[in-house]
Every structure is written in C-alpha cells, then in structure tokens.
C-alpha cells in the first residue's frame, strides 16, 4: 500500500458509560477507509497515551460526556507530549460547553464536536489535519 | 542514532514507528527488516485462532498476564482484525479485552488490519513479528481475524498454534473438516462454564482419535478395549484444555501445554524444520516479487497493459498472455550483478 492509511485511536476517558457516540464515529471513520483502534469505556489518560504510542496513530479521538473534559484533556495532551507524540492530532466529541472550547483549543485540541455534528465533517477535518 | 538502533536499545516509540513503516511495506521498513534480521530467531511465536466470539482476545489477555507473572518475559501481541473489502477501513477492537495489560512496560500490543489478505493474518504480520523478535520480545502472540475454517496461514507463521473453540458452535463433522483443527497444536475450549462443554470436548476428542487410533473406545456408551497401532514415538497429540478466560481458570494448564509443545518442537527437530519451511516460503515470495518487478521493467512500454486488455476482452487467455509476455521480454543486458551482502 503506497498511500498512508490514517490510523485513529477512539477512546472514552473518564467514567460515563455512554459509548454510542464513540461507536458511531468509529464506524464512520471505518467507512471513510481509516483504521480505527477502538479501546472501549473508562480509559485513564495513561491507558490512552500508552495505546496511542503502541499503535502509532495519527489521530486520537476522545469522547467525553461526563463533564470532566477540563481535567482529562490536559493530562492526555501532556502524556502524548511526554511520549514524543506531539504530532498526533487530538479530536474531541461529547458535551463540551462553549466557554471551554477556547481553552481546549489553546491546549492543542484540533477539533471539538457536540451533539448533531455530522460525521462527514469529522472525516473531512481529520483528513485535512493529517495531510502531510 | 538510526531507527533500528533505537529499536534494539528498547525505545518503544521508535519500535512503534518502525512497525508502521514495515506494515506499510515502505522502503525504509524493508531496509530496517534486512538490518534487524540477524537479531531475530529467538522468540516463541504463538498463534491464536478460532471462530469469532470464542474468546480469543480474552484468552490472549489472560495468557499475557500469566506469562508476565511467571517469568517476566517481554510479551508482544499482534492482534489482527478484518479490513472492509469495500472501503479498506477497519475497526480494530481487540484492545477492548486487553485492558488489564496496560501500564506494563514489558507488554506491547499492536492492532493490525488484515488489509485485503484472506488467510486470517495480514501480509506483513510475519514481518511485524520479526521486528518484535529483534526488539527482544521473547513471546509473540498473534491473534488472527477469526473468520473460521480457512485460517491456516497462522500455522505457517507460528511455532505453536492454539485453536480456540467454545461450546455450542458446531458438531463433530465441523471437527473433522480439513483446515482449522488440523493446524491445532493446542486445543482450547473456552467459556467452559457454559452448558454443552462436555459435548464439544467429546467431539474434539473423537475427531483427534480418528487421526490417531487409541486403545480405548466408547461404543454405545461402553468403554471397550481394542487393538490399536501405537503412535510412532515422539508424535505430538494436541492436548485439549478447558478455560474460562473471563476469570482466568485453566490458563496455567494452557501455558503448560504451550511449554510442552515447545519442548517437543526442540527435541523432535520439528522446530528447525518449521523455521526452515517458514524462511523458505518467505524467501520464495520475495524472489517472486523481485522477479516480477524486474520482468515488468524488462517489457516494452505498455506491453503488459495491452496484453491485459486482450485478456479483458476475452480474445486472449491469461495463460496465453503470460506465455506471450515471457517471449516478448526485452533481451536483457547481462543481469546486473548484485552486490554480495
């Protein structure tokens, strides 16, 4: 395969058990020809960073509906950097209040999606962000 | 420091990057493989195959936990899941069952999409195993796609192949079909707390006995002694292990069976035979690729495409096309002498 296949880690950090969104996105990315590594519920930031490292992903997709994003996201970004994976693009979905968005973006989160976001848009923006 | 040197020194990020290069069959990846080859040949490759839903991933999870508890060997897992034949995309979900393994630096799990291969593993799975081998992982567990009966590629790659069954998945005719049971070095009946487990065990045992006659048979429920040919000394009879992967029951026995099989491979000379066969088929495949590339380069511009067009229009058969192309090959300048490594 000459063309680089985009590899995405889809993970749900934190304690809420609502994984439907993550599954819908995983499925959409698969249908867009990407390889999605799905890790399931209740992942710690450490588990996510470790999986991202082992799988050498281009993108990490986080789904958080618990409201703990301001605690989880910085830790994940920090661990990715500590592992030398600064180039990994992080996307986030879930219930994220508007006022948190600027701070998350400033942390280096590439895209944030709320309820009703279209999967086409997510696919398009992941493709754009991983273009080298 | 080059990527391969970093890998040999145990850098996990470098290892991960190299795995990607090798998986994508990139020139850098191939060069690194060549460089690392002299460091390979030490690992025990264990294949895990079986139908979907038999609990392969959960079993792998438990096997790794047990190996780590026992003797601190470094363990790598290559988990293969299918690619979509339509979009090329994939959802690789084996990690979901392996969450107990996170946080352990002696374990490295890599998910892999089958990318169009049909034998249950991807084309570059063997190459990935080589990288792990060179990086000092002593146990390498390869979990196949799990599509069932035709997954025999894994037996060519692994030293020891585990076939995982579960109660309620088919009768004894399934068990005597050629294919998946034939490749088993160790049989595992997982989900052994489910009803029907005796049934599955009996079906497996009797299919094994069809291949190797035994002296005690059951006829209408009665044990009878019959004359049987003694198996030649030093034959391996696949043991049947019962496990419950969700709570770890029976795992120690599986590990023991794997160790016994290893012992058998070493003492019977089978280890060498398998290694030689594996390296032979790998080399042959590479020679084929190389010759094909050379051959295509040697053809006049467009000759291959125009022959193909005639095949598409059914005016030339593929066999004739191949013969025709072989004859039209440009007279080669004396083959470029390749540098001896």
């Amino acid at each position: 395969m000459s063309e680089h296949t985009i590899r995405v880690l889809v993970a749900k950090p934190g304690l809420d058990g609502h994984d439907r969104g993550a599954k819908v996105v995983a499925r959409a990315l698969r249908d867009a020809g990407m390889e999605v590594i799905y890790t399931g519920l209740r992942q710690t930031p450490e588990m996510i960073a470790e999986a991202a490292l082992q799988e050498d992903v281009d993108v990490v997709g986080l789904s958080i509906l618990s409201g703990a994003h301001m605690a989880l996201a910085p830790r994940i970004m920090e661990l990715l950097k500590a592992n030398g994976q600064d180039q990994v693009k992080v996307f986030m979905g879930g219930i994220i209040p508007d006022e948190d968005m600027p701070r998350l973006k400033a942390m280096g989160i590439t895209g944030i999606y709320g309820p009703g976001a279209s999967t086409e848009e997510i696919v398009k923006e992941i493709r754009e962000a991983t273009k080298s | 420091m080059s990527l391969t040197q970093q890998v040999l020194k145990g850098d996990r990020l470098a290892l991960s990057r190299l795995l990607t290069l090798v998986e994508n069959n990139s020139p850098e990846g191939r060069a690194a493989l060549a460089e690392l080859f002299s460091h390979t040949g030490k690992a025990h490759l264990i294949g895990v195959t079986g139908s979907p839903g038999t609990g392969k991933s959960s079993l792998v999870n438990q096997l790794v936990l047990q190996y780590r508890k026992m003797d601190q060997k470094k363990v790598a897992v290559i988990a293969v899941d299918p690619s979509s034949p339509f979009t090329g995309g994939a959802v690789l979900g084996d990690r979901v069952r392996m969450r107990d393994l996170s946080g352990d630096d002696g374990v490295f799990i890599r998910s892999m999409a089958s990318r169009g291969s049909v034998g249950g593993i991807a084309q570059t799975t063997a190459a990935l195993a080589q990288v792990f081998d060179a990086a000092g992982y002593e146990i390498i567990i390869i979990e196949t796609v799990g599509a069932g009966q035709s997954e025999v590629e894994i037996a060519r790659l692994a030293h020891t192949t585990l076939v995982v069954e579960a109660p309620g998945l088919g009768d004894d005719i399934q068990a005597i079909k050629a294919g998946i049971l034939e490749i088993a070095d160790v049989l595992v009946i997982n989900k052994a707390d489910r009803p029907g487990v005796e049934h599955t065990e009996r079906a497996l045992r009797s299919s094994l006995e069809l291949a190797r006659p035994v002296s005690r048979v059951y006829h209408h429920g009665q044990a009878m002694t019959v004359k049987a040919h003694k198996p030649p000394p030093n034959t391996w009879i696949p043991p049947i292990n019962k496990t419950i992967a969700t709570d770890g029951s029976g795992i120690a026995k599986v590990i023991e069976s794997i160790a016994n099989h290893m012992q058998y491979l070493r003492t019977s000379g089978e280890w060498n035979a398998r290694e030689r066969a594996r390296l032979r088929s790998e080399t042959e495949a590479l020679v084929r690729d190389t010759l094909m590339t050379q051959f295509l380069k040697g053809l006049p511009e467009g000759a291959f495409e125009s022959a193909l067009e005639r095949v598409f229009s059914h005016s030339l058969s593929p066999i004739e096309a191949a013969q025709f192309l072989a004859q039209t090959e440009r007279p080669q300048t004396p083959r470029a002498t390749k540098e001896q490594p």
Side-chain angles (χ1 to χ4, degrees):
Chain A
M1 200 169 287
S2 52
E3 204 180 316
H4 177 70
T5 309
I6 301 172
R7 283 169 69 89
V8 187
L9 182 78
V10 172
K12 264 200 69 59
L15 295 175
D16 76 273
H18 306 284
D19 58 358
R20 189 163 167 81
K23 283 177 175 159
V24 168
V25 170
R27 166 76 201 254
L29 300 184
R30 183 201 81 181
D31 290 345
M34 301 180 195
E35 290 179 358
V36 180
I37 295 105
Y38 187 79
T39 60
L41 292 170
R42 290 185 272 280
Q43 300 279 308
T44 63
E46 286 75 12
M47 288 161 97
I48 292 169
E50 185 186 35
L53 174 85
Q54 293 180 352
E55 302 290 357
D56 191 24
V57 290
D58 308 290
V59 173
V60 172
L62 302 170
S63 166
I64 309 178
L65 293 92
S66 62
H69 49 274
M70 293 312 287
L72 293 164
R75 180 79 184 127
I76 292 167
M77 299 305 286
E78 193 182 303
L79 288 167
L80 286 174
K81 281 206 182 72
N83 284 345
Q85 288 198 300
D86 317 62
Q87 84 293 351
V88 171
K89 301 283 186 284
V90 181
F91 288 75
M92 195 179 232
I95 311 295
I96 315 285
D98 289 344
E99 64 256 38
D100 290 341
M101 293 210 185
R103 279 161 70 200
L104 290 167
K105 294 260 180 163
M107 258 173 236
I109 309 269
T110 309
I112 302 168
Y113 307 91
S118 90
T119 52
E120 285 92 5
E121 191 189 340
I122 299 175
V123 166
K124 200 176 121 232
E125 287 177 15
I126 287 182
R127 284 221 176 102
E128 225 128 81
T130 52
K131 236 183 244 162
S132 46
Chain B
M1 202 175 2
S2 78
L3 201 57
T4 48
Q5 282 169 317
Q6 286 174 291
V7 168
L8 290 172
K9 279 188 65 186
D11 183 326
R12 288 159 70 85
L13 182 60
L15 171 60
S16 192
R17 294 231 167 105
L18 181 57
L19 291 171
T20 306
L21 292 174
V22 169
E23 185 180 13
N24 291 338
N25 203 6
S26 68
E28 301 99 299
R30 270 175 299 189
L33 272 182
E35 223 178 300
L36 288 174
F37 186 74
S38 60
H39 298 272
T40 62
K42 291 174 290 243
H44 186 182
L45 271 58
I46 303 168
V48 178
T49 183
S51 310
T54 47
K56 293 184 293 300
S57 302
S58 307
L59 187 78
V60 169
N61 180 44
Q62 290 290 344
L63 287 174
V64 178
L65 282 177
Q66 187 76 15
Y67 272 121
R68 293 296 296 156
K69 233 190 308 180
M70 265 168 40
D71 44 23
Q72 299 289 308
K73 279 184 182 159
K74 279 168 80 180
V75 185
V77 176
I78 304 174
V80 190
D81 265 335
S83 293
S84 159
F86 305 110
T87 65
V91 172
L92 314 173
D94 292 324
R95 287 190 90 96
V96 175
R97 315 265 172 251
M98 299 182 195
R99 52 187 298 145
D100 299 340
L101 307 178
S102 67
D104 182 348
D105 270 354
V107 178
F108 199 111
I109 307 168
R110 182 63 176 235
S111 312
M112 207 180 177
S114 63
R115 298 195 179 169
S117 285
V118 288
I121 54 177
Q123 217 169 6
T124 51
T125 301
L128 252 60
Q130 269 181 18
V131 175
F132 277 124
D133 187 351
Y137 288 82
E138 291 164 271
I139 305 273
I140 301 171
I141 303 182
I142 300 151
E143 183 186 331
T144 72
V145 168
Q149 300 184 350
S150 64
E151 284 204 355
V152 292
E153 279 305 310
I154 187 65
R156 252 190 277 275
L157 171 60
H159 299 114
T160 303
T161 303
L162 268 63
V163 172
V164 187
E165 296 275 339
L169 286 181
D171 62 5
D172 49 348
I173 293 302
Q174 302 297 341
I176 60 173
K177 284 189 189 169
I180 196 138
L181 278 189
E182 249 178 325
I183 63 168
D185 297 311
V186 175
L187 281 158
V188 177
I189 306 174
N190 192 31
K191 307 190 182 183
D193 49 346
R194 292 271 186 93
V197 61
E198 317 75 26
H199 218 78
T200 308
E201 190 180 359
R202 206 178 312 123
L204 286 177
R205 203 169 291 286
S206 70
S207 82
L208 287 178
E209 287 170 359
L210 290 176
R212 299 172 190 82
V214 287
S215 56
R216 269 165 72 83
V217 295
Y218 289 88
H219 188 66
H220 297 296
Q222 304 275 321
M224 297 173 33
T225 308
V226 293
K227 238 174 88 180
H229 301 286
K230 274 231 167 71
N234 219 351
T235 37
W236 175 258
I237 298 171
I240 300 174
N241 294 281
K242 285 182 278 188
T243 59
I244 306 169
T246 45
D247 69 6
S249 315
I251 298 299
K253 280 264 186 247
V254 179
I255 300 261
E256 201 183 306
S257 297
I258 296 171
N260 289 343
H261 185 250
M262 177 72 154
Q263 188 65 27
Y264 155 77
L265 289 176
R266 295 278 194 203
T267 54
S268 64
E270 186 75 9
W271 177 279
N272 278 334
R274 283 191 191 202
E275 281 287 297
R276 291 172 69 104
R278 188 169 62 78
L279 290 172
R280 187 193 172 96
S281 68
E282 192 183 323
T283 311
E284 279 175 356
L286 286 170
V287 169
R288 253 195 306 278
D289 283 357
T290 314
L291 285 180
M292 181 71 180
T293 319
Q294 258 179 31
F295 175 70
L296 288 179
K297 254 194 232 153
L299 285 178
E301 273 294 302
F304 186 71
E305 281 69 28
S306 70
L308 259 188
E309 279 309 320
R310 287 172 65 198
V311 173
F312 294 158
S313 63
H314 287 251
S315 63
L316 194 68
S317 79
I319 297 174
E320 287 165 326
Q323 282 166 351
F324 169 73
L325 285 173
Q327 280 157 12
T328 51
E329 191 183 4
R330 255 203 313 247
Q332 293 229 342
T333 43
R335 198 155 295 198
T337 41
K338 234 195 128 198
E339 235 178 279
Q340 291 294 319

